Amino acid sequence: MEFYEETIKSTSIYKGNVTEYIVEDVKLPNGEMSQREIVRHDGAAAVLPFTKAGELILVKQYRKAIDQLSIEIPAGLKDKTDGDGLETAKRELEEETGYNAENWKFITSFYSTPGFTDEFLEIYEATGLYLAENPLSLDEDETVEVVVATYDEAWEFYHKGLLRDSKTVFALFYWKMKKLERELGK
Amino acid sequence: MEFYEETIKSTSIYKGNVTEYIVEDVKLPNGEMSQREIVRHDGAAAVLPFTKAGELILVKQYRKAIDQLSIEIPAGLKDKTDGDGLETAKRELEEETGYNAENWKFITSFYSTPGFTDEFLEIYEATGLYLAENPLSLDEDETVEVVVATYDEAWEFYHKGLLRDSKTVFALFYWKMKKLERELGK
């Protein structure tokens, strides 16, 4: 089966600070023409930071795109100079929560929604947390509040509809899975 | 702590078939002005369709935004007339795979990436699959191929980098979690 869609013309509609909106005229496998709307994005990294007591450190912030307060795992955009997502993850954890971590483990990575954007997200687990002496400060347009949650509290936020973005919902189910593994002695 | 960002001006930059790109001038909690790039989206639904033998039905398609072939759980956009995501999920399962299902269960829902879009995705589990007699046909600009995968095969796709969008990565970890629950007799 033939799948490839050839770009015949690519038009940049708008270049913002975080995204670039592009419309592409493409030739479908059946020879017909169609249009694809594409949001270019530099990518991001996120962290599941677990305290020694086994709580998860979350951040509360306002998300204009959904006009809601949202409780999420710490995350942020990749800088052009970041070697990989781990560098981004370390910086964002410090900026948003004031913590550094001794141990870092890659969990997974995914395209947020490849139907219309190339945003790619890497997710890490951080343990052995300690407070940075002079923590990096937030970006100028960011206002976040740290929320430390036990397992049950995090699911309570979920059931109340306060925690509902893909990376954080993934984080909750991942946390559940890890607990089951421990119960099984894995 | 004050989080709210007030919209002072909202400008529609482009309205496409699937997305609308909007730039908003907002007043931050500290009184400063900033801009938010927002992609409006009607939402979508996705399905984890399990065969009687316990395999997962996936679909392979070309994703122009990432210029890659992608193996994903069946999913599609909400129609304006859809009452809820379940209606969308049922239609997309039939269109993309030819299957209907006897049993439907809500798993979760999330905003794909609320930093810049309001796309909201509902995810369902479908069992008791049977082939539709006259299945609905795909949208004109869609080319998909059905891929039936065992648990191990699905993880193999993942490790080969063929399965890497948020909803399908979520699906794999969810599948793993369900297996652990069964092992524990839950």
Side-chain angles (χ1 to χ4, degrees):
Chain A
M1 195 181 262
E2 187 55 55
F3 294 94
Y4 182 64
E5 300 178 0
E6 187 191 354
T7 300
I8 304 301
K9 190 180 155 199
S10 179
T11 309
S12 174
I13 306 291
Y14 189 92
K15 195 161 172 15
N17 287 318
V18 178
T19 57
E20 181 177 7
Y21 193 79
I22 289 167
V23 174
E24 298 207 342
D25 296 324
V26 299
K27 194 172 174 183
L28 302 175
N30 65 8
E32 300 286 318
M33 293 297 296
S34 189
Q35 268 193 347
R36 300 292 180 205
E37 299 142 33
I38 297 171
V39 179
R40 296 259 171 254
H41 188 285
D42 288 336
V47 192
L48 277 73
F50 287 106
T51 66
K52 272 162 197 147
E55 301 141 323
L56 184 62
I57 299 186
L58 298 160
V59 291
K60 185 156 80 171
Q61 64 197 300
Y62 195 77
R63 290 298 199 179
K64 192 63 206 173
I66 57 173
D67 261 323
Q68 284 173 40
L69 268 178
S70 182
I71 296 178
E72 305 177 12
I73 55 174
L77 305 177
K78 274 184 107 162
D79 276 353
K80 301 274 181 209
T81 56
D82 286 348
D84 58 14
L86 180 56
E87 205 173 328
T88 313
K90 287 180 175 177
R91 183 184 59 243
E92 293 297 332
L93 178 64
E94 185 174 329
E95 282 184 6
E96 297 194 340
T97 72
Y99 282 98
N100 289 150
E102 278 163 22
N103 315 306
W104 289 85
K105 194 183 107 184
F106 175 76
I107 299 177
T108 193
S109 58
F110 51 64
Y111 288 102
S112 302
T113 178
F116 67 89
T117 180
D118 62 356
E119 185 193 18
F120 188 68
L121 181 76
E122 294 176 41
I123 303 181
Y124 295 85
E125 185 172 337
T127 52
L129 303 181
Y130 59 95
L131 280 169
E133 281 190 25
N134 296 298
L136 300 168
S137 46
L138 286 169
D139 295 339
E140 280 180 5
D141 62 350
E142 280 186 305
T143 303
V144 309
E145 186 177 80
V146 172
V147 176
V148 182
T150 63
Y151 181 78
D152 288 342
E153 285 165 348
W155 280 100
E156 212 175 295
F157 291 143
Y158 172 82
H159 290 296
K160 281 183 180 165
L162 292 166
L163 180 165
R164 50 194 324 205
D165 73 304
S166 65
K167 65 183 179 299
T168 312
V169 170
F170 171 86
L172 274 200
F173 280 83
Y174 174 82
W175 198 357
K176 184 169 178 181
M177 192 197 77
K178 297 303 281 182
K179 278 179 113 67
L180 293 169
E181 281 186 339
R182 271 197 297 275
E183 275 188 61
L184 281 162
K186 288 189 180 180
Chain B
M1 197 182 262
E2 186 56 54
F3 295 95
Y4 181 65
E5 300 179 0
E6 187 192 354
T7 300
I8 303 301
K9 189 180 156 199
S10 177
T11 310
S12 174
I13 305 291
Y14 189 92
K15 194 163 174 14
N17 288 316
V18 178
T19 57
E20 180 176 8
Y21 193 79
I22 289 167
V23 173
E24 298 206 343
D25 296 324
V26 298
K27 195 172 174 183
L28 301 175
N30 64 9
E32 300 287 317
M33 293 296 297
S34 188
Q35 268 193 346
R36 299 293 181 204
E37 299 142 33
I38 297 171
V39 179
R40 295 259 170 255
H41 188 286
D42 288 335
V47 192
L48 277 73
F50 287 106
T51 66
K52 273 162 198 149
E55 300 141 325
L56 184 62
I57 299 187
L58 298 159
V59 290
K60 185 155 78 171
Q61 65 197 300
Y62 195 77
R63 290 297 199 180
K64 192 64 207 174
I66 56 173
D67 260 323
Q68 285 174 39
L69 269 177
S70 183
I71 296 178
E72 303 176 12
I73 55 173
L77 305 176
K78 276 183 104 163
D79 276 353
K80 301 274 181 207
T81 56
D82 286 347
D84 59 14
L86 181 56
E87 204 174 328
T88 313
K90 287 180 175 177
R91 183 184 59 244
E92 293 296 333
L93 178 63
E94 185 174 329
E95 283 184 6
E96 296 194 340
T97 73
Y99 282 98
N100 288 151
E102 279 162 22
N103 315 306
W104 289 85
K105 194 184 107 183
F106 175 75
I107 299 176
T108 193
S109 58
F110 52 65
Y111 288 101
S112 301
T113 178
F116 66 90
T117 180
D118 61 358
E119 186 194 18
F120 188 68
L121 180 77
E122 295 176 40
I123 303 181
Y124 294 86
E125 185 172 337
T127 51
L129 303 180
Y130 59 95
L131 280 169
E133 281 190 26
N134 296 297
L136 300 168
S137 46
L138 286 169
D139 294 339
E140 280 180 5
D141 62 349
E142 280 187 304
T143 304
V144 309
E145 186 178 78
V146 173
V147 176
V148 182
T150 63
Y151 180 78
D152 289 343
E153 285 165 349
W155 280 99
E156 213 174 295
F157 291 142
Y158 172 83
H159 289 296
K160 281 182 178 164
L162 292 166
L163 180 164
R164 49 195 323 205
D165 73 303
S166 65
K167 65 183 177 300
T168 312
V169 170
F170 171 86
L172 274 200
F173 281 83
Y174 175 81
W175 197 358
K176 185 170 177 181
M177 192 198 76
K178 296 305 279 183
K179 279 179 113 69
L180 294 169
E181 281 186 339
R182 272 198 296 276
E183 276 186 60
L184 281 163
K186 288 191 181 181

mmCIF file of all heavy atoms in Angstrom, chain A residues 39 48 51 56 78 86 90 98 106 119 158 165-166 179 181:
data_model
loop_
_atom_site.group_PDB
_atom_site.id
_atom_site.type_symbol
_atom_site.label_atom_id
_atom_site.label_comp_id
_atom_site.label_asym_id
_atom_site.label_seq_id
_atom_site.Cartn_x
_atom_site.Cartn_y
_atom_site.Cartn_z
ATOM 1 N N VAL A 39 1.492 22.541 12.648
ATOM 2 C CA VAL A 39 2.048 23.439 13.657
ATOM 3 C C VAL A 39 3.466 22.961 13.995
ATOM 4 O O VAL A 39 3.640 21.901 14.580
ATOM 5 C CB VAL A 39 1.165 23.447 14.930
ATOM 6 C CG1 VAL A 39 1.763 24.363 15.986
ATOM 7 C CG2 VAL A 39 -0.262 23.874 14.586
ATOM 8 N N LEU A 48 8.763 13.409 35.941
ATOM 9 C CA LEU A 48 8.036 12.888 37.105
ATOM 10 C C LEU A 48 9.020 12.933 38.273
ATOM 11 O O LEU A 48 9.845 12.034 38.428
ATOM 12 C CB LEU A 48 7.614 11.432 36.894
ATOM 13 C CG LEU A 48 6.333 11.147 36.115
ATOM 14 C CD1 LEU A 48 6.543 11.412 34.636
ATOM 15 C CD2 LEU A 48 5.900 9.705 36.327
ATOM 16 N N THR A 51 9.532 12.546 45.464
ATOM 17 C CA THR A 51 10.239 12.853 46.723
ATOM 18 C C THR A 51 10.636 11.542 47.407
ATOM 19 O O THR A 51 10.161 10.468 47.045
ATOM 20 C CB THR A 51 9.335 13.640 47.691
ATOM 21 O OG1 THR A 51 8.256 12.788 48.089
ATOM 22 C CG2 THR A 51 8.774 14.891 47.038
ATOM 23 N N LEU A 56 4.608 12.880 44.417
ATOM 24 C CA LEU A 56 4.936 13.435 43.098
ATOM 25 C C LEU A 56 4.844 14.957 43.165
ATOM 26 O O LEU A 56 3.881 15.503 43.706
ATOM 27 C CB LEU A 56 3.952 12.889 42.052
ATOM 28 C CG LEU A 56 4.189 13.290 40.592
ATOM 29 C CD1 LEU A 56 5.534 12.783 40.076
ATOM 30 C CD2 LEU A 56 3.058 12.753 39.710
ATOM 31 N N LYS A 78 12.107 22.914 24.772
ATOM 32 C CA LYS A 78 13.538 22.771 24.497
ATOM 33 C C LYS A 78 14.112 24.097 24.028
ATOM 34 O O LYS A 78 13.491 24.806 23.234
ATOM 35 C CB LYS A 78 13.746 21.737 23.384
ATOM 36 C CG LYS A 78 13.809 20.312 23.885
ATOM 37 C CD LYS A 78 14.109 19.352 22.753
ATOM 38 C CE LYS A 78 15.515 18.828 22.841
ATOM 39 N NZ LYS A 78 15.696 17.593 22.027
ATOM 40 N N LEU A 86 16.949 15.594 28.194
ATOM 41 C CA LEU A 86 17.336 15.501 29.600
ATOM 42 C C LEU A 86 17.813 16.857 30.122
ATOM 43 O O LEU A 86 17.503 17.246 31.255
ATOM 44 C CB LEU A 86 18.436 14.438 29.766
ATOM 45 C CG LEU A 86 18.947 14.209 31.188
ATOM 46 C CD1 LEU A 86 17.813 13.864 32.142
ATOM 47 C CD2 LEU A 86 20.007 13.094 31.203
ATOM 48 N N LYS A 90 16.016 18.796 33.215
ATOM 49 C CA LYS A 90 16.720 19.253 34.419
ATOM 50 C C LYS A 90 16.478 20.737 34.674
ATOM 51 O O LYS A 90 16.220 21.165 35.795
ATOM 52 C CB LYS A 90 18.223 18.986 34.275
ATOM 53 C CG LYS A 90 18.574 17.509 34.399
ATOM 54 C CD LYS A 90 20.077 17.271 34.253
ATOM 55 C CE LYS A 90 20.393 15.796 34.504
ATOM 56 N NZ LYS A 90 21.822 15.469 34.308
ATOM 57 N N GLY A 98 12.323 24.466 41.909
ATOM 58 C CA GLY A 98 13.473 24.746 42.776
ATOM 59 C C GLY A 98 14.298 23.506 43.106
ATOM 60 O O GLY A 98 15.284 23.602 43.827
ATOM 61 N N PHE A 106 15.131 7.805 31.846
ATOM 62 C CA PHE A 106 14.233 8.045 30.711
ATOM 63 C C PHE A 106 13.033 7.112 30.821
ATOM 64 O O PHE A 106 13.205 5.912 31.049
ATOM 65 C CB PHE A 106 14.992 7.788 29.407
ATOM 66 C CG PHE A 106 14.141 7.878 28.177
ATOM 67 C CD1 PHE A 106 13.737 9.106 27.663
ATOM 68 C CD2 PHE A 106 13.739 6.720 27.513
ATOM 69 C CE1 PHE A 106 12.953 9.190 26.519
ATOM 70 C CE2 PHE A 106 12.963 6.792 26.359
ATOM 71 C CZ PHE A 106 12.568 8.025 25.868
ATOM 72 N N GLU A 119 5.273 18.536 17.514
ATOM 73 C CA GLU A 119 5.743 18.635 18.904
ATOM 74 C C GLU A 119 6.094 17.247 19.427
ATOM 75 O O GLU A 119 5.281 16.327 19.370
ATOM 76 C CB GLU A 119 4.694 19.242 19.845
ATOM 77 C CG GLU A 119 5.297 19.434 21.243
ATOM 78 C CD GLU A 119 4.286 19.741 22.343
ATOM 79 O OE1 GLU A 119 3.086 19.500 22.154
ATOM 80 O OE2 GLU A 119 4.700 20.226 23.395
ATOM 81 N N TYR A 158 -7.180 14.271 39.522
ATOM 82 C CA TYR A 158 -7.628 13.723 38.243
ATOM 83 C C TYR A 158 -9.156 13.622 38.209
ATOM 84 O O TYR A 158 -9.794 14.077 37.260
ATOM 85 C CB TYR A 158 -6.979 12.349 38.047
ATOM 86 C CG TYR A 158 -7.475 11.549 36.866
ATOM 87 C CD1 TYR A 158 -6.979 11.775 35.583
ATOM 88 C CD2 TYR A 158 -8.425 10.543 37.037
ATOM 89 C CE1 TYR A 158 -7.431 11.021 34.502
ATOM 90 C CE2 TYR A 158 -8.874 9.791 35.967
ATOM 91 C CZ TYR A 158 -8.377 10.031 34.695
ATOM 92 O OH TYR A 158 -8.824 9.292 33.633
ATOM 93 N N ASP A 165 -4.022 16.794 31.266
ATOM 94 C CA ASP A 165 -3.258 16.901 30.025
ATOM 95 C C ASP A 165 -2.549 15.569 29.782
ATOM 96 O O ASP A 165 -2.316 14.792 30.719
ATOM 97 C CB ASP A 165 -2.247 18.051 30.099
ATOM 98 C CG ASP A 165 -1.092 17.735 30.999
ATOM 99 O OD1 ASP A 165 -1.345 17.417 32.174
ATOM 100 O OD2 ASP A 165 0.052 17.778 30.546
ATOM 101 N N SER A 166 -2.215 15.300 28.534
ATOM 102 C CA SER A 166 -1.752 13.958 28.143
ATOM 103 C C SER A 166 -0.557 13.492 28.954
ATOM 104 O O SER A 166 -0.537 12.363 29.446
ATOM 105 C CB SER A 166 -1.419 13.901 26.648
ATOM 106 O OG SER A 166 -0.329 14.737 26.330
ATOM 107 N N LYS A 179 3.440 0.802 40.749
ATOM 108 C CA LYS A 179 2.972 0.266 42.033
ATOM 109 C C LYS A 179 2.593 -1.210 41.895
ATOM 110 O O LYS A 179 2.886 -2.013 42.777
ATOM 111 C CB LYS A 179 1.747 1.064 42.517
ATOM 112 C CG LYS A 179 2.100 2.367 43.216
ATOM 113 C CD LYS A 179 0.852 3.105 43.649
ATOM 114 C CE LYS A 179 0.685 3.187 45.146
ATOM 115 N NZ LYS A 179 1.682 4.009 45.842
ATOM 116 N N GLU A 181 3.778 -3.275 39.678
ATOM 117 C CA GLU A 181 5.034 -4.025 39.503
ATOM 118 C C GLU A 181 5.680 -4.314 40.849
ATOM 119 O O GLU A 181 6.192 -5.406 41.075
ATOM 120 C CB GLU A 181 6.000 -3.236 38.607
ATOM 121 C CG GLU A 181 5.668 -3.357 37.127
ATOM 122 C CD GLU A 181 6.715 -2.706 36.233
ATOM 123 O OE1 GLU A 181 7.477 -1.836 36.726
ATOM 124 O OE2 GLU A 181 6.766 -3.049 35.050
#
